[in-house]
């Protein structure tokens, strides 16, 4: 997960946030390279990290299945990152990792419940067809 990788880099490298993002982009194959390239490109043009993250999230979010609640949560993460000392940033990463993990768990549970309802409805429709046409 991208946030965990950022947390590790903050904890051990103690480098500026832009350098950490650059390292994460070049040294890991996490599927986020286009997103991180956009963030770095915009910060290189003088935009703040939070604004760069937000704009990149909007652009990449159009091509992904992220819901608005997910984008809001990720934007909130970026707005808090880089604004405090390293230990505070590490705590921010831990907090948002937990929030995203909980959100993921809830979405999986919702998906399982929807599958069960769909299967039950399919069985009911099948039984009704048998009753009416047999």
């Amino acid at each position: 997960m991208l946030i965990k990788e950022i947390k590790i880099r903050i904890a051990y490298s103690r480098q500026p946030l832009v350098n950490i993002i650059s390292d994460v982009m070049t040294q890991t194959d996490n599927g986020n390279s286009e997103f991180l390239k956009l963030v770095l490109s915009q910060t290189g043009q003088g935009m703040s990290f939070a604004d760069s993250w937000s704009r990149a999230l909007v652009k990449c979010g159009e091509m992904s299945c992220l819901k608005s609640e997910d984008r809001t949560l990720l934007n909130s993460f970026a707005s808090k990152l880089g604004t405090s000392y390293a230990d505070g940033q590490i705590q921010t990463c831990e907090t948002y990792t937990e929030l995203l993990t909980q959100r993921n768990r809830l979405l999986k549970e919702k998906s399982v419940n929807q599958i069960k309802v769909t299967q039950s409805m399919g069985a009911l429709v099948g039984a009704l067809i048998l009753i009416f046409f047999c």
Side-chain angles (χ1 to χ4, degrees), residues 32-50:
N32 296 306
S33 61
E34 288 303 313
F35 172 75
L36 296 176
K37 282 180 189 176
L38 283 170
V39 172
L40 290 174
S41 169
Q42 293 171 0
T43 54
Q45 295 171 2
M47 192 179 297
S48 73
F49 176 78

Side-chain angles (χ1 to χ4, degrees), residues 31-103:
N32 296 306
S33 61
E34 288 303 313
F35 172 75
L36 296 176
K37 282 180 189 176
L38 283 170
V39 172
L40 290 174
S41 169
Q42 293 171 0
T43 54
Q45 295 171 2
M47 192 179 297
S48 73
F49 176 78
D51 289 340
S52 298
W53 181 282
S54 180
R55 286 191 181 185
L57 195 56
V58 167
K59 186 167 186 171
C60 291
E62 294 169 355
M63 299 178 286
S64 73
C65 60
L66 286 175
K67 296 184 181 220
S68 64
E69 297 89 11
D70 300 326
R71 285 194 293 268
T72 300
L73 194 58
L74 290 170
N75 276 328
S76 176
F77 166 71
S79 70
K80 291 175 176 52
L81 201 61
T83 59
S84 67
Y85 53 94
D87 291 336
Q89 292 182 67
I90 291 167
Q91 184 60 45
T92 296
C93 291
E94 290 171 355
T95 300
Y96 280 89
T97 297
E98 181 60 31
L99 288 172
L100 289 166
T101 300
Q102 289 174 0
R103 177 135 175 85

Side-chain angles (χ1 to χ4, degrees), residues 80-130:
K80 291 175 176 52
L81 201 61
T83 59
S84 67
Y85 53 94
D87 291 336
Q89 292 182 67
I90 291 167
Q91 184 60 45
T92 296
C93 291
E94 290 171 355
T95 300
Y96 280 89
T97 297
E98 181 60 31
L99 288 172
L100 289 166
T101 300
Q102 289 174 0
R103 177 135 175 85
N104 190 28
R105 188 177 320 117
L106 289 173
L107 290 173
K108 283 181 182 179
E109 290 172 6
K110 184 178 178 181
S111 174
V112 167
N113 289 336
Q114 288 175 345
I115 290 170
K116 288 178 182 178
V117 168
T118 303
Q119 289 173 341
S120 299
M121 293 298 289
L124 177 62
V125 170
L128 289 174
I129 290 172
L130 283 174

